[in-house]
Amino acid sequence: PMQGCERIVSRVDGVVAGGLGPRRARSQCQNGEREEGGSDCAASNVEYHKDIGRQPSLESVATIIHGRPRTTLASCAPGLETCVATNQKITLFHSPQTRSTSALALLEELSAPYTLHPLNMKAGEQRQSAFLAINPMGKVPAVLHGDALITEQGAITIYLADLFPEASITPALTDPLRGPYLRWLVFYGSCFEPALLDKAMKRDAGRQGTSPYGDYDTTVKTVVDQLAKGHWLLGERFTAADVLWGTALT
């Protein structure tokens, strides 16, 4: 039953290597060539920040351009009569080995251009005034898109995946899978993570009728049963929800 879980984890690990430590720049090659190791070449002019594991200060900004012109952050999906094009910058506030890894993995999966603001949480940068002015909660992930602040893993996943419909990893509003897609995105933060934290910290979940997730065993069984139905959370279709869950299950 956990084959779906393993597949999701493998996909996410392949995209962002867990979001941890220094990363190797991809080789630049012409169309039709292949990178070392046999994988197809990605678009050239891809720049990676190689010092994420070194935890630079908040003022240090790493610009990552991945496969798209710097000025285009969203474009038309096939068949849409209208589309949203913007040159507003996406900035991800991130710290390794935290929940913000899911947002980093998603940006990579979307091939989205973004700017990375690493935070040194061991040094308490998330509690300093520079970051609290952005997110008063002092938590990551946080995403700035122009003047819009987006926090919370589920909200960030929905927002970014909708911003890049051409990536085809988010069901459209008219897609029958849109409802189940949103269900599993929200289920993670409202049920799964609270259940795991209570279990790990040996906290009393309270009465089943008042607990946000009911009980631990039912919550885990619900996830396992869903993963047993196909390759991904929604069966045979990979979506942004799998990116969120993949980082959680690693």
Side-chain angles (χ1 to χ4, degrees):
M2 293 305 290
Q3 287 181 348
C5 167
E6 293 167 358
R7 188 173 289 104
I8 292 172
V9 170
S10 176
R11 170 93 177 217
V12 171
D13 281 347
V15 169
V16 78
L20 307 177
R23 304 184 57 210
R24 180 179 59 83
R26 292 188 185 180
S27 61
Q28 295 186 6
C29 45
Q30 302 299 319
N31 290 337
E33 296 179 354
R34 300 176 73 82
E35 292 188 73
E36 182 181 353
S39 60
D40 290 327
C41 275
S44 59
N45 299 323
V46 181
E47 300 174 6
Y48 289 101
H49 178 43
K50 303 178 183 65
D51 298 318
I52 294 176
R54 191 163 54 85
Q55 290 284 10
S57 66
L58 179 61
E59 287 71 26
S60 175
V61 178
T63 301
I64 299 178
I65 307 165
H66 188 223
R68 286 191 179 83
R70 185 190 298 265
T71 55
T72 302
L73 299 184
S75 60
C76 294
L80 290 181
E81 295 181 359
T82 61
C83 65
V84 177
T86 178
N87 59 2
Q88 292 179 313
K89 181 173 66 175
I90 294 176
T91 301
L92 170 65
F93 295 88
H94 166 69
S95 185
Q97 297 180 315
T98 69
R99 292 177 179 87
S100 62
T101 300
S102 65
L104 180 61
L106 180 59
L107 285 165
E108 292 289 331
E109 184 71 41
L110 292 168
S111 295
Y114 61 96
T115 296
L116 189 67
H117 260 281
L119 289 169
N120 188 337
M121 297 190 109
K122 291 183 179 180
E125 287 185 349
Q126 77 278 17
R127 296 296 178 186
Q128 295 175 5
S129 58
F131 183 63
L132 291 177
I134 297 166
N135 183 8
M137 293 290 290
K139 296 174 62 178
V140 293
V143 168
L144 276 177
H145 181 214
D147 295 328
L149 171 67
I150 308 97
T151 66
E152 315 312 315
Q153 287 177 286
I156 288 172
T157 302
I158 294 168
Y159 185 87
L160 291 177
D162 283 346
L163 194 62
F164 294 92
E166 70 275 18
S168 300
I169 62 170
T170 179
L173 291 176
T174 56
D175 192 318
L177 287 177
R178 180 72 178 189
Y181 165 75
L182 294 175
R183 173 202 175 193
W184 286 109
L185 278 175
V186 175
F187 188 91
Y188 169 74
S190 61
C191 295
F192 183 74
E193 186 175 283
L196 259 62
L197 286 176
D198 282 348
K199 183 77 169 180
M201 300 183 72
K202 299 180 179 179
R203 295 187 303 212
D204 183 6
R207 293 186 296 109
Q208 187 173 14
T210 59
S211 169
Y213 57 86
D215 67 87
Y216 174 83
D217 290 337
T218 300
T219 299
V220 172
K221 184 178 186 301
T222 299
V223 177
V224 171
D225 288 350
Q226 181 66 22
L227 289 171
K229 296 178 181 179
H231 289 104
W232 311 106
L233 274 169
L234 299 185
E236 300 307 310
R237 182 170 177 181
F238 177 82
T239 69
D242 295 299
V243 179
L244 174 62
W245 279 87
T247 56
L249 295 172
T250 51

